[in-house]
Amino acid sequence: MNTPLMMGAVAYAPKVVTIWEGFKEYFRRHDFEFDYILYSNYERQVEAQFNGSIALAWNSPLAWVRAERMARARGQEVAALAMRDSDCDLTSVLVTRTGPLVTLEQLKGKTIGFGAIDSPQAHLIPLDLLRQHGMLAGRDYTARRFDVLGGKHGDHIGGERDAALALMAGEIDAAWMIDSNHMAFSREGLLPAGATAIMARTAPFDHCNFTVSPGAPAAQIARFGELLLAMSWDDPEVRPLLELEGLKTWLPGRVSGYDALVRAVDDERFYDAEGKILAADYRY
């Protein structure tokens, strides 16, 4: 049997096993040997991209930033091979209870809720937006972080859900969440109809990508990408996997949607230029 192409993924929910087992069978049906290793957090996964354990990783945007920095510091390169259609041009929203608070200026002196410390969409990028408007945590407002499952980079959305609950309980004055979660919480009734308003919205940003490790076998990576992009929503064996992974089609990878996150990583001193972790209270 040929040596399988090894991929890393983070086990942020039980469905992850179902997803990648299904992908393994899909690739095998096309005579391509593929296997995966599950990691408990993205930091370990990114580090594994540099010790030969995995040829590519299904990375969060924050994991991409770290991998790119670690590679550059070593004189190496990583590449964004592919991403979901649902990874492109996302936004996060700042939600308040319907009432007198309608501008960012009015949040001065108030308490704003954020997701986990390592969540791009509910912590780092929102901090960047507020900073661009001249508002700094600890000076202009109190930041209350809802840390859930550190190291998962906000994939589990638990911190955003907890922030939404705290908002409705009157414990905080506003809460950040990705737009799709705002809609989901509204459908669930967690945020009752008419009870909340959107005060601010980030510029569009991108989410996850398949990150190719330095020195990965080029021919296998090319075939993996070819088969991945060929996955069709109309294929009854493939559609359940795409549904579980939250996409309709795979797209070629791009890195143009990470600028705000890169800026936030520097401003918040989360990683240094070599990808070393600087955030002192980050537990994973």
Side-chain angles (χ1 to χ4, degrees):
M1 187 175 72
N2 294 330
T3 302
L5 184 75
M6 297 301 298
M7 183 207 76
V10 167
Y12 66 89
K15 70 176 182 177
V16 167
V17 175
T18 304
I19 291 168
W20 298 117
E21 282 294 319
F23 272 66
K24 188 174 176 178
E25 285 306 310
Y26 166 79
F27 286 117
R28 186 163 286 170
R29 288 199 300 271
H30 291 83
D31 298 317
F32 183 79
E33 290 300 322
F34 163 86
D35 208 345
Y36 63 93
I37 299 172
L38 294 182
Y39 294 88
S40 71
N41 63 79
Y42 281 107
E43 310 310 334
R44 302 279 183 240
Q45 176 167 292
V46 170
E47 289 159 11
Q49 293 201 262
F50 294 88
N51 66 20
S53 297
I54 51 176
L56 77 164
W58 180 231
N59 270 339
S60 75
L62 187 60
W64 159 261
V65 171
R66 188 181 185 208
E68 196 279 328
R69 291 182 178 205
M70 289 176 67
R72 187 159 16 99
R74 291 165 165 78
Q76 300 173 321
E77 289 185 356
V78 291
L81 178 68
M83 59 206 314
R84 302 168 296 188
D85 54 352
S86 54
D87 283 313
C88 301
D89 300 318
L90 308 179
T91 60
S92 291
V93 292
L94 181 59
V95 180
T96 62
R97 294 183 300 280
T98 303
L101 295 177
V102 294
T103 67
L104 288 176
E105 184 72 21
Q106 290 174 302
L107 283 179
K108 288 192 173 180
K110 305 292 187 183
T111 299
I112 302 176
F114 296 84
I117 184 174
D118 55 352
S119 171
Q121 68 263 14
H123 187 236
L124 292 165
I125 292 173
L127 283 173
D128 179 71
L129 179 137
L130 292 171
R131 191 181 300 107
Q132 300 305 311
H133 285 81
M135 294 181 63
L136 297 178
R139 186 191 75 183
D140 301 297
Y141 63 90
T142 298
R144 181 175 169 191
R145 220 171 54 220
F146 291 83
D147 275 324
V148 177
L149 295 175
K152 308 274 192 304
H153 292 187
D155 282 354
H156 47 80
I157 76 169
E160 292 170 65
R161 184 180 295 278
D162 288 350
L165 288 167
L167 175 67
M168 296 316 300
E171 298 171 12
I172 57 178
D173 300 292
W176 280 101
M177 60 198 73
I178 201 166
D179 188 43
S180 58
N181 285 337
H182 176 245
M183 291 188 286
F185 298 158
S186 298
R187 286 194 302 270
E188 294 171 15
L190 190 157
L191 299 176
T196 63
I198 293 175
M199 176 181 285
R201 183 183 296 270
T202 66
F205 58 87
D206 287 353
H207 216 259
C208 299
N209 74 59
F210 275 112
T211 307
V212 180
S213 304
Q220 280 183 291
I221 290 292
R223 182 59 176 155
F224 174 89
E226 180 184 336
L227 290 171
L228 188 77
L229 294 177
M231 294 181 87
S232 172
W233 181 259
D234 296 326
D235 183 337
E237 292 185 333
V238 168
R239 182 183 292 192
L241 298 176
L242 299 182
E243 288 178 324
L244 275 174
E245 189 51 44
L247 72 147
K248 287 194 172 178
T249 187
W250 291 100
L251 299 173
R254 69 182 191 186
V255 298
S256 57
Y258 298 135
D259 290 351
L261 179 59
V262 169
R263 190 167 58 230
V265 164
D266 287 332
D267 287 342
E268 294 303 313
R269 291 183 52 77
F270 199 92
Y271 300 132
D272 70 8
E274 298 180 347
K276 294 188 180 70
I277 300 169
L278 299 177
D281 51 349
Y282 180 29
R283 297 290 177 268
Y284 59 92

